Amino acid sequence: MFGIVRPCRHGMCNGLFKEWMAHLCGLCLALRDEHGHLSRLVTNYDGLLVSVLTEAQAVASSPHRRAAACALRGFKGADVVE
């Protein structure tokens, strides 16, 4: 994942970094389901910023769900944005 926007784990509190990762995993899973695995390879953090900013402007927060284990998360489950 390359791009201009990159998260700074040291500058974010633990809650904000978890939300960032929830958006990242949600975007990856949505791309897999709707467009296939190839689209996941060309996705970057800049595209993820759209999801984060959209939720920040919404009145209610986006629904979250529990995702299964993933190799990129060290084979751990995660709370992801739908």
Side-chain angles (χ1 to χ4, degrees):
M1 297 235 172
F2 304 101
I4 297 171
V5 178
R6 294 216 173 127
C8 179
R9 190 173 201 158
H10 303 295
M12 296 176 148
C13 67
N14 197 25
L16 281 178
F17 189 74
K18 285 183 180 180
E19 283 295 316
W20 180 268
M21 292 306 295
H23 280 276
L24 177 63
C25 292
L27 176 64
C28 184
L29 293 173
L31 286 171
R32 178 197 67 192
D33 294 342
E34 296 178 19
H35 301 287
H37 292 288
L38 186 59
S39 65
R40 295 164 79 182
L41 294 174
V42 297
T43 304
N44 59 26
Y45 288 126
D46 300 344
L48 176 66
L49 190 61
V50 173
S51 174
V52 172
L53 292 175
T54 301
E55 184 183 33
Q57 294 179 5
V59 177
S61 64
S62 301
H64 288 230
R65 68 177 176 91
R66 188 76 183 159
C70 174
L72 297 175
R73 284 185 254 122
F75 294 102
K76 296 178 184 176
D79 187 38
V80 301
V81 174
E82 286 189 13

